[in-house]
């Protein structure tokens, strides 16, 4: 059984930092494996925040570039998202996700391209 569990969310003031973790179990290592963080604010669609590919290449959206950093362990069992200089617009429910097949860069941003999801961890940033 595949299981993804996020942790590390919380409430912080603007300018603060949080480090999210996602523990993945039940999946063998796969060369097409892609892991990602998504977020969803109230009333908005789920959006990709950061993606990390099997070889370690990473991508983050422009809104968090220079502030958020995505990483993983070699066994692909843990995914992290270091979030610095948080802003109120970063508030939302943050999910980790795993895709089993390769994708184009545009497809990698599409939540429908991911096979497994965690339940999310809430991040709230106040002024």
């Amino acid at each position: 059984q595949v299981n993804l569990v996020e942790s590390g969310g919380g409430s912080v003031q603007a300018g603060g930092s949080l480090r999210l973790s996602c523990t993945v179990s039940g999946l063998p290592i796969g060369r097409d494996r892609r892991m990602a963080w998504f977020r969803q604010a109230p009333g908005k669609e789920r959006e990709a925040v950061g993606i990390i590919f099997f070889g370690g290449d990473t991508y983050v959206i422009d809104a968090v570039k220079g502030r958020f950093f995505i990483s993983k362990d070699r066994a692909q069992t843990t995914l992290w998202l270091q979030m610095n200089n948080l802003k109120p617009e970063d508030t939302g429910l943050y999910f980790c996700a795993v895709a089993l097949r390769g994708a184009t860069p545009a497809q990698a941003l599409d939540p429908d391209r991911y096979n497994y999801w965690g339940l999310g961890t809430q991040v709230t940033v106040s002024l």
Side-chain angles (χ1 to χ4, degrees), residues 31-113:
R31 295 193 63 82
D32 289 332
R33 184 75 43 78
R34 185 173 69 254
M35 305 174 78
W37 287 98
F38 285 77
R39 68 185 180 187
Q40 188 165 19
K44 294 187 177 181
E45 293 186 352
R46 192 171 298 189
E47 66 170 350
V49 175
I51 301 165
I52 186 164
F53 298 88
F54 178 84
D57 290 341
T58 62
Y59 170 84
V60 295
I61 60 174
D62 286 345
V64 305
K65 196 164 291 183
R67 301 188 297 120
F68 289 17
F69 303 91
I70 186 170
S71 60
K72 66 178 177 69
D73 66 344
R74 292 189 65 180
Q76 299 178 308
T77 58
T78 308
L79 179 69
W80 295 281
L81 183 68
Q82 178 66 43
M83 305 187 296
N84 301 323
N85 191 20
L86 282 159
K87 302 177 180 181
E89 53 263 41
D90 295 319
T91 293
L93 190 59
Y94 282 68
F95 302 88
C96 64
V98 174
L100 301 181
R101 294 185 178 182
T104 66
Q107 291 171 339
L109 299 175
D110 182 354
D112 290 338
R113 295 284 179 170

